Amino acid sequence: MDVDRLLPTPEAADLIALTREIADKELSPRVDEHEAAETYPEGLFATLGEAGLLGLAYPEEYGGGGQPYEVYLQVLEELAARWAAVAVATSVHTLACHPLHAFGTPEQKERWLPAMLEGRTVGGYSLSEPQAGSDAAALSCKAERQEDGGGYRITGTKAWITHGGRAGFYALFARTAPGSHGVSCFLAPGTAEGLTFGAPERKMGLQAVPTTAAYWDGALLEEDRLIGREGQGLQIAFSALDNGRLGIAACATGLAQAALDTAVAYANERTTFGRRIVDHQGLGFLLADMAAAVDAARATYLDAARRRDLDRPFGRQASAAKLIATDTAMKVTTDAVQVLGGYGYTRDFPVERYMREAKIMQIFEGTNQIQRLVISRGLAVPEK
């Protein structure tokens, strides 16, 4: 069903309507085939870019959509309700654009941002490493400054890159000096000489968009590929992740909504003991709990987004939204499988895929254990 959304402007309502039209036409008919075959949807992200859906949260002066974050996230939720992998990749693209937009120089933004926001090139986010997932300060991939302004040589391995090998650019974080203040951020082209990618990871879900490792073998990045100052990388990374967590919260909510819709439709059609199963109180209450949980997840991410739109602190609320929405997605998709019974465990219905896709959302963009750590630190009163 279409979610009844409370949107701030008629323009936002038109945007949601456009998103639903594109999602129903371009995503829904293709998702089962590509997820089952683990094949990349060629041309699909170009279509989303041409429709203006890949730069919604960024200024119009650079080719973005100029939309509030609360609107962008609801667009993302609509995409996720049809195809979670595409929505996650869209969220990651938005995340990868953040360092340049927030910390780049006017010249850097003028040079690169329009193509990124218009979707002419799609981005990946390259922070994690095999030994440095939750502990971002443990990065070992090196960026060695060359003499006489000759740029930076990048050497090392990065891991868990959504759109790895397919993206046109990567927000890359590499070490320029020892210590937690020795990480820097770069805007790296996907075609850099000396950059190669591993085989796609064999994942439980989100099969259509590859997740890979990247191998940097002395690739040279020009001096102006540095974003912000040397040593500012972790500040940039964490700033981006606050926004990225909201994107994953919206994706998780869309996935949970899709599972709820499938379960409700089935419960209204299936009969037992002469009654629709939705009319049995035990099942009806389960569906009610699922619906309430989806509504709560949506309200939580919208609260954080509205704080962001008002330039108020939102980091703790972003972590709460990511925690609540992804836990909700895991619970609601599991319950949807239960509602469908044996059919839910088969690939004839999408709920088994939804359940597999929900699990990773509790892990990436900071595990839910890390979200609890962020929230608890936000509650701690400084010692006197």
Side-chain angles (χ1 to χ4, degrees), residues 276-340:
R276 299 179 305 169
I277 63 173
V278 72
D279 296 322
H280 293 280
Q281 189 178 76
L283 189 71
F285 281 9
L286 175 61
L287 292 169
D289 286 344
M290 293 163 67
V294 175
D295 288 346
R298 182 176 299 114
T300 304
Y301 86 64
L302 286 175
D303 172 73
R306 287 163 183 161
R307 290 173 182 273
R308 183 191 186 282
D309 289 335
L310 292 170
D311 291 324
R312 295 179 59 181
F314 70 98
R316 179 169 66 84
Q317 288 79 13
S319 285
K322 196 271 184 183
L323 169 65
I324 290 169
T326 59
D327 280 355
T328 293
M330 193 71 253
K331 178 69 164 61
V332 169
T333 56
T334 303
D335 286 344
V337 171
Q338 191 72 21
V339 170
L340 270 68

Side-chain angles (χ1 to χ4, degrees), residues 142-293:
K142 292 182 180 180
E144 297 177 298
R145 179 188 279 274
Q146 304 301 290
E147 295 181 0
D148 302 322
Y152 295 82
R153 290 279 179 192
I154 313 297
T155 305
T157 300
K158 307 298 287 187
W160 307 114
I161 305 170
T162 298
H163 247 141
R166 289 281 186 170
F169 71 93
Y170 298 91
L172 169 69
F173 297 86
R175 183 165 297 285
T176 49
S180 61
H181 298 290
V183 175
S184 300
C185 177
F186 300 87
L187 181 68
T191 56
E193 186 175 353
L195 169 62
T196 58
F197 295 90
E201 302 289 349
R202 300 173 63 193
K203 301 177 292 185
M204 280 178 64
L206 308 183
Q207 308 282 18
V209 176
T211 301
T212 69
Y215 306 106
W216 293 87
D217 186 15
L220 180 64
L221 298 184
E222 297 172 349
E223 187 86 10
D224 63 358
R225 289 280 177 175
L226 175 69
I227 304 299
R229 305 184 310 274
E230 279 196 13
Q232 199 177 11
L234 289 186
Q235 176 192 348
I236 295 172
F238 295 151
S239 170
L241 285 173
D242 281 343
N243 296 287
R245 286 164 182 161
L246 289 182
I248 296 306
C251 290
T253 303
L255 183 63
Q257 182 70 56
L260 172 64
D261 290 347
T262 303
V264 168
Y266 183 85
N268 276 281
E269 294 171 0
R270 176 78 168 176
T271 60
T272 61
F273 306 105
R275 302 168 63 193
R276 299 179 305 169
I277 63 173
V278 72
D279 296 322
H280 293 280
Q281 189 178 76
L283 189 71
F285 281 9
L286 175 61
L287 292 169
D289 286 344
M290 293 163 67

Side-chain angles (χ1 to χ4, degrees), residues 353-371:
R353 172 167 58 82
Y354 297 157
M355 182 178 173
R356 289 186 286 107
E357 291 171 337
K359 184 63 221 177
I360 189 58
M361 296 189 185
Q362 295 178 302
I363 298 171
F364 56 23
E365 305 287 22
T367 66
N368 283 5
Q369 288 71 30
I370 289 295
Q371 305 315 315

Side-chain angles (χ1 to χ4, degrees), residues 3-20:
V3 175
D4 182 17
R5 300 191 178 278
L6 300 177
L7 295 160
T9 64
E11 179 187 9
D14 291 342
L15 179 59
I16 291 294
L18 172 65
T19 303
R20 287 172 173 167

